[in-house]
Amino acid sequence: MLILLLGHRSFAARGLVDCLAAAGHQLVCFSRGPLACDGNLVTGPVESLCANPHLRQPFEAVVNYILLKDADVATNVAFVTELLAFCCEQRVKYLVHISSLSSYPATLNLITEKSPVEH
C-alpha cells in the first residue's frame, strides 16, 4: 500500500516509518518547508497540499500527525480542511488523523506546549 505520512518527525510518529516499511508498505513522508522532493521525502506548505506537484501519487492511505503548534485553532482547522480536500481530490481510501487539536477549546487563541486541554 502506498501511504502518505504527514508529520513523520513528530514524537508520536517516530518508529512508524520503519514499522510500515517492514510491513511492506511504500511510504512518502511529508514535512513542512519549501516546496521540494528528495526521494520519498516531500516538503511544502501545509496550507496547499492540493497544489503540491510532488503529491500526485495514487495514495491509498494518509496518516496525519501534524498539529500546527504556535498557531491558532483557526489555522489548524484550515490545515485539516485542506487535508480533507486533498484526500477527496486524490481519492484516498483511508485517512488516519492523529492529533490533539480536538482536545483544545475553540476559544483558544494560540496553541502552545502549555495550552490548556479540555477534558
Side-chain angles (χ1 to χ4, degrees):
M1 178 182 294
L2 180 58
I3 300 171
L4 174 61
L5 178 57
L6 293 98
H8 68 283
R9 292 185 213 157
S10 71
F11 176 76
R14 290 186 185 157
L16 188 58
V17 172
D18 293 337
C19 181
L20 291 172
H25 299 291
Q26 294 177 290
L27 291 172
V28 172
C29 296
F30 176 86
S31 288
R32 292 172 275 181
L35 192 61
C37 180
D38 184 13
N40 74 332
L41 177 62
V42 173
T43 58
V46 295
E47 63 274 3
S48 56
L49 293 171
C50 293
N52 192 318
H54 306 297
L55 297 176
R56 296 290 174 225
Q57 299 92 321
F59 298 109
E60 289 182 66
V62 172
V63 178
N64 177 48
Y65 277 93
I66 291 177
L67 169 71
L68 302 175
K69 284 188 245 172
D70 300 322
D72 60 22
V73 172
T75 301
N76 277 277
V77 169
F79 159 62
V80 172
T81 301
E82 176 71 8
L83 174 60
L84 292 172
F86 173 82
C87 290
C88 287
E89 185 178 291
Q90 297 296 320
R91 297 182 182 195
V92 173
K93 290 181 182 181
Y94 307 100
L95 170 61
V96 179
H97 181 75
I98 302 169
S99 174
S100 59
L101 177 60
S102 62
S103 65
Y104 292 99
T107 57
L108 192 65
N109 292 325
L110 183 68
I111 297 173
T112 67
E113 292 293 329
K114 295 180 182 181
S115 294
V117 177
E118 292 182 337
H119 297 283

